[in-house]
Amino acid sequence: MPLTHRRRHATRVLVLLASSATLLSTAPAFAETPQSTARVVVTEANATAEKWAPLAYDCTADAYENTPAQSMVTGPQTPPLGAGSHEFDLSTPYGSVQTEIYRTTVLDGRLLSSVQQLEYSTYVTSLDENAKQPAYLRLTIDTDPGDPSNERHAAFFFPANQVAPVVQNAWQTWSIGSGTLELDGDGGTAFSLAGLAAQYPNARIANNNEGALTGGGLSIVTGCGGGTTRLSKADTDRVVVSASGDADFDAINKVYDFERDNLS
């Protein structure tokens, strides 16, 4: 898989709260889904058709040969949509070095500036005595598609680096448009989504695997965070994707609901 930037991960001291209450970052408690947004139920059976794919790699080597430790599950607790969620299981023997990714091509090729709304919900469960960090969101972007020598970059939304604290054992909704993205990893230059689009007005969401689902430019990711991700289960649900149309793309307004097969 062609890559120009190695993934870097959040390693800061995290502000984490152990609580069963729901605390949300810059979004109301289970933020209302816009009425114009179409709900898309994604199961393991139809994930490929809905443009989602799992991927896993060993963060100590440039190898994408690991079997993903991911599945659609019921719960945990009451997810923001339906009865289930997509779960990353870092309790496996590879949990200390494995990075788990759930990718979609739904935004590939679109102008970064066309993205109008981007949200996702997370839940994290610790399997030891340490607090854990939830899955983060990543956008792969080509800041200058007209320049063939231009390297692709990654813009990271780390929940642990936002204003609202991460809460253990609780669903939280994160609004990327209201938060902070860090370019090329934890500690990178910080931008708002609108600020990043203004800085790179020609930037487009990029696929880094020749158009394959496993190279989708929108990813939800966890793992390789040391004790902050090892021995944890991280769930995600209610991914809201809204982008305006242009000469090349129709407008898109979708909310993805992750469910076990035959459940909704």
Side-chain angles (χ1 to χ4, degrees), residues 114-185:
S114 74
V115 178
Q116 298 178 320
Q117 185 175 11
L118 191 57
E119 297 178 1
Y120 75 122
S121 296
T122 63
Y123 188 105
V124 65
T125 303
S126 176
L127 303 178
D128 62 15
E129 70 280 5
N130 299 311
K132 308 299 178 179
Q133 67 176 4
Y136 58 87
L137 185 144
R138 184 184 68 209
L139 292 172
T140 304
I141 59 175
D142 187 340
T143 55
D144 189 359
D147 181 358
S149 65
N150 184 61
E151 291 187 339
R152 290 169 182 162
H153 297 264
F156 294 82
F157 181 95
F158 293 118
N161 294 353
Q162 307 305 312
V163 173
V166 169
V167 181
Q168 305 290 286
N169 304 311
W171 281 102
Q172 296 179 270
T173 289
W174 308 95
S175 172
I176 281 65
S178 301
T180 299
L181 291 164
E182 294 173 75
L183 196 61
D184 292 328

Side-chain angles (χ1 to χ4, degrees), residues 77-102:
Q77 294 192 18
T78 304
L81 284 178
S85 63
H86 187 79
E87 185 170 270
F88 305 100
D89 185 355
L90 293 179
S91 67
T92 67
Y94 295 106
S96 61
V97 298
Q98 186 153 326
T99 294
E100 295 286 337
I101 312 171
Y102 203 41

Side-chain angles (χ1 to χ4, degrees), residues 208-233:
N208 68 4
N209 191 22
E210 301 178 347
L213 284 181
T214 52
L218 170 59
S219 307
I220 300 174
V221 191
T222 190
C224 206
T228 66
T229 56
R230 182 179 59 250
L231 292 176
S232 72
K233 291 187 178 182

Side-chain angles (χ1 to χ4, degrees), residues 114 129 185 199 237 256:
S114 74
E129 70 280 5
Q199 180 72 22
D237 192 30
Y256 293 98

